[in-house]
Amino acid sequence: MPAADTNRAINLLPTFSAIRPTEIVDQLTELLNQNRRDIKALLELDGEITWDKFFSPFEDIGDRLSRFWSPIGHLHGVADNEDLRDAYRDAVVMLSEYSTELAQSDRLSSAFRSMRDSAGFEALTPAQQKVIENALRDFRLGGIDLDEAKRERFRAVSTELAQLTTRFSENVLDATEAWEKNVTDKAELSGLPESTLGLIRQNAAKLNREGYTLTLDYPCYGPVMSYCDNRDLRREMYKAYVTRASDQGPSAGRFDNTENINQILALRNELANLVGYPNYAEYSIATKMATSTRSVAEFLEDLVERSTDAAHRDFDQLTNFATDELNLRSVEPWDVAYCGEKLRQHAFAFSAEELRPYFPVARVVEGLFNTVNRLFGITVSALPGVDLWHADVQVYEVRDDGGMLRGIFYLDLYAREHKRGGAWMDECVVRRSVGGSIQSPVAYLTCNFTPPVDGEESLLTHDEVLTLFHEFGHGLHHLLTLVDHAPVSGINGVPWDGIELPSQFLENWVWEREALDTISGHYQTGEAIPDELFRRMCEAKNFQSGLQMVRQLEFALFDFLIHAEYSPEQSVQEILDNVRRRVAVVNTPPYNRFQHAFSHIFAGGYAAGYYSYKWAEVLSADAFSRFEEEGVFNSETGKSFRESILERGGSEDLLVLFTRFRGRGPTIEPLLRQAGLST
Ligand SMILES: [Zn+2]
């Protein structure tokens, strides 16, 4: 029998099996109308507007909608189908209209303003004050100060943006699934690891075919680019991958995002202009840690300067190696990962595949739980009997050292059809206080790892283990929060350029021997990673880190510039080409349309914010450096991180929280050192 608090939390979990796509729009219509009526009634109450009388019931109303919508949005990402897609498209528009309507409600914004101006404001907790201040800021960003004509335009632009970004990600998914290639001659696949061969043989078997079916899903595409000796195949798949959803490549024009991109950029710029910002980058910065677009640009340029020489050295080394050892006259984009892998093996006698047998998935997951137990004193245990969207999914509960339930999460590990690629954490239920009792937070952790093949347990790469830790870091931020108010609880209210702090922070432990001993063990013998393999793996850690750094900077600068320097005449491709000329060291073929599948910025929350990864990496590397000083498993340091950062959500300024943890403001040196780029 689960404990009482667990039962209460389970009662708030969605019933995925009961979601009927054809009923979603009607249900949502009814719910939104009910919310409108309830908010109206709240605003008509007599007497002074106070937190308890106004904000608490207002939060209830918002939470009801979040809990209805979260599982639907989630299913759209992990178990897509035609009916759901139709419903989702309509629903996104309705939600966008609803939220702009609230953002532009004068009565609502004056309710918040009167709370801020009241004598009672000072008596509120810092978290409550933050909720009110953030809300007032968001009213301004949502167009509250505009006249009616402009407000109307703002609403229309928001709605259109919601539609376009949905279409963008659907195109990417469709284009990814539209390409496949069957190969019957195994010789054409030489070099591919057994794990990948097993996966693509299984792909073929599912389609009743002989041989192997290649797809653009990352568990197939990644290994082909890194290991397959067949250069023609690499080139073919590279072209298919980097032209997805564009006017180029094998499905040219079929799922083309060109117009979506142009319209999204134009509308974002217009949105920013409407509320008084010269461009969308300025608008984006308004809610972030960075204080100006200039400071972001300078930050990125500084990193470019610090890493360009290293990147050129890396590429020269790669080119020389390819010429001398692999008989290649030039290193093309479809050779970079392949030659890199060969060079890594040559220089460090180390191949990423060598580690795979040591990372059977169950062991890794157990080891992860063990690691966070030692660091943060929390215990993770399986929670059976919960309704799911797929049989592969597992559910766990998290308790702290005092035995208190801190949250629940779903773990969906494997790539499969109709599931969006990549890895992410999303919120299912947010922690908040409801009438004196706590609503426990619930998270979705989603990955796209190589699925089990032929009934054998899945073996992960070290990279995949790293991804799991990364997402779990986000998960802890959501689950360990002790904030009682939804808008600043967990990852809510955390500035986007700080959101990657806990996730990148937790990645560090997959490089620590002590942690590795608990997250790894040979799948046949249980044997630990041998010392000399560990040594080679660490030596290879910063292999080509210069190249990796400039690649990330290329994405970040591109994202920032297309938003900061928007003009209707601009060509997105030209801006990208310019950034590449300045930053990239590997030549890109003219058909490359990487940006057409750059969902982070055109369909996710990273617009004019992709720099956040690097920005937060400064914080995460610096936070980890305190553990390097005090012991990587020092439970006091772990407790301090938990209490200063993980439990505080968006309830205080992140720079203040960080400084409290570190005892000083952030510095960039730990990042450069950990990436092997310090001079
Ligand atoms: Zn992340």
Side-chain angles (χ1 to χ4, degrees), residues 423-425 470-471 474 499-501 503-504 507 600 606 613:
W424 67 91
M425 189 286 293
H470 178 103
E471 298 311 330
H474 285 306
I499 210 97
E500 299 294 333
L501 162 56
S503 53
Q504 298 184 138
E507 289 178 18
H600 273 84
Y606 285 88
Y613 281 104

Side-chain angles (χ1 to χ4, degrees), residues 64 97 128 182 238 252 344 347 355 370 415 436 476 478 499 516 518 569 595 600 633:
R64 184 167 69 194
E97 282 168 0
Q128 290 171 318
N182 210 58
Y238 170 83
R344 189 208 309 266
L355 280 167
N370 186 287
L476 290 178
H478 178 64
I499 210 97
L516 277 172
T518 71
E569 295 80 38
Q595 69 272 29
H600 273 84
F633 275 106

Side-chain angles (χ1 to χ4, degrees), residues 50-214:
T50 63
W51 183 273
D52 290 337
K53 219 173 77 184
F54 171 75
F55 184 78
S56 294
F58 179 70
E59 191 185 276
D60 292 343
I61 294 168
D63 188 64
R64 184 167 69 194
L65 177 59
S66 307
R67 285 195 288 110
F68 170 81
W69 178 247
S70 163
I72 296 167
H74 183 65
L75 284 189
H76 181 251
V78 298
D80 195 18
N81 64 53
E82 275 309 314
D83 285 346
L84 183 60
R85 218 179 242 212
D86 288 343
Y88 184 88
R89 281 184 184 154
D90 292 342
V92 160
V93 171
M94 294 160 66
L95 286 165
S96 165
E97 282 168 0
Y98 171 80
S99 70
T100 331
E101 191 182 303
L102 293 196
Q104 294 185 348
S105 159
D106 292 311
R107 299 185 67 185
L108 206 50
S109 91
S110 22
F112 277 93
R113 207 168 323 114
S114 69
M115 277 199 289
R116 191 200 49 199
D117 297 342
S118 73
F121 184 76
E122 289 307 318
L124 295 175
T125 65
Q128 290 171 318
Q129 295 183 359
K130 197 88 193 314
V131 168
I132 294 171
E133 273 155 11
N134 286 356
L136 289 170
R137 175 198 70 195
D138 295 342
F139 279 116
R140 191 170 52 74
L141 294 174
I144 196 76
D145 298 329
L146 305 179
D147 63 34
E148 186 44 41
K150 283 186 173 167
R151 279 189 189 191
E152 200 183 318
R153 181 60 195 153
F154 190 98
R155 289 196 293 271
V157 168
S158 305
T159 303
E160 213 177 328
L161 272 172
Q163 288 169 315
L164 288 167
T165 51
T166 305
R167 192 65 50 87
F168 183 97
S169 66
E170 288 175 352
N171 279 340
V172 175
L173 184 60
D174 289 345
T176 305
E177 292 187 348
W179 189 93
E180 50 147 280
K181 183 185 173 79
N182 210 58
V183 173
T184 44
D185 182 1
K186 194 177 172 185
E188 285 184 40
L189 303 171
S190 79
L192 274 187
E194 271 312 314
S195 54
T196 312
L197 286 171
L199 172 71
I200 60 180
R201 197 168 45 229
Q202 184 166 284
N203 286 348
K206 271 191 205 154
L207 298 163
N208 291 319
R209 290 176 182 164
E210 295 291 307
Y212 307 85
T213 300
L214 297 155

Side-chain angles (χ1 to χ4, degrees), residues 283-475:
Y283 178 84
S284 156
I285 295 295
T287 52
K288 293 190 168 68
M289 275 178 93
T291 48
S292 69
T293 52
R294 218 180 94 191
S295 65
V296 174
E298 283 174 0
F299 168 71
L300 293 174
E301 295 294 349
D302 177 50
L303 276 178
V304 168
E305 201 162 301
R306 289 172 189 268
S307 46
T308 298
D309 285 352
H312 279 288
R313 275 199 304 277
D314 288 348
F315 193 62
D316 290 346
Q317 185 194 22
L318 197 64
T319 312
N320 293 337
F321 174 77
T323 317
D324 298 346
E325 306 284 332
L326 303 175
N327 257 326
L328 290 181
R329 276 215 304 257
S330 63
V331 174
E332 302 297 337
W334 47 90
D335 301 321
V336 173
Y338 177 79
C339 295
E341 189 54 35
K342 288 276 184 286
L343 173 56
R344 189 208 309 266
Q345 290 173 28
H346 180 84
F348 304 102
F350 174 72
S351 157
E353 280 297 310
E354 261 186 278
L355 280 167
R356 208 193 270 270
Y358 293 94
F359 292 124
V361 69
R363 170 90 187 174
V364 172
V365 169
E366 270 312 304
L368 164 66
F369 298 164
N370 186 287
T371 303
V372 293
N373 173 267
R374 291 179 66 189
L375 279 172
F376 307 120
I378 53 173
T379 306
V380 182
S381 45
L383 189 59
V386 172
D387 182 70
L388 300 169
W389 59 92
H390 192 277
D392 285 350
V393 182
Q394 290 155 307
V395 187
Y396 298 89
E397 66 167 23
V398 179
R399 286 184 185 275
D400 63 20
D401 32 11
M404 183 171 98
L405 177 71
R406 295 297 280 267
I408 291 175
F409 64 93
Y410 298 90
L411 187 61
D412 183 357
L413 290 172
Y414 307 117
R416 62 173 176 266
E417 256 190 311
H418 309 305
K419 177 173 168 184
R420 197 179 347 129
W424 67 91
M425 189 286 293
D426 205 354
E427 136 187 333
C428 175
V429 178
V430 66
R431 178 195 154 102
R432 58 193 204 102
S433 162
V434 190
S437 75
I438 293 301
Q439 171 173 306
S440 300
V442 181
Y444 310 107
L445 299 182
T446 310
C447 301
N448 269 280
F449 298 154
T450 315
V453 173
D454 302 331
E456 299 273 330
E457 186 181 9
S458 183
L459 303 174
L460 304 184
T461 63
H462 188 247
D463 259 359
E464 288 176 328
V465 176
L466 194 101
T467 299
L468 180 65
F469 272 63
H470 178 103
E471 298 311 330
F472 206 75
H474 285 306

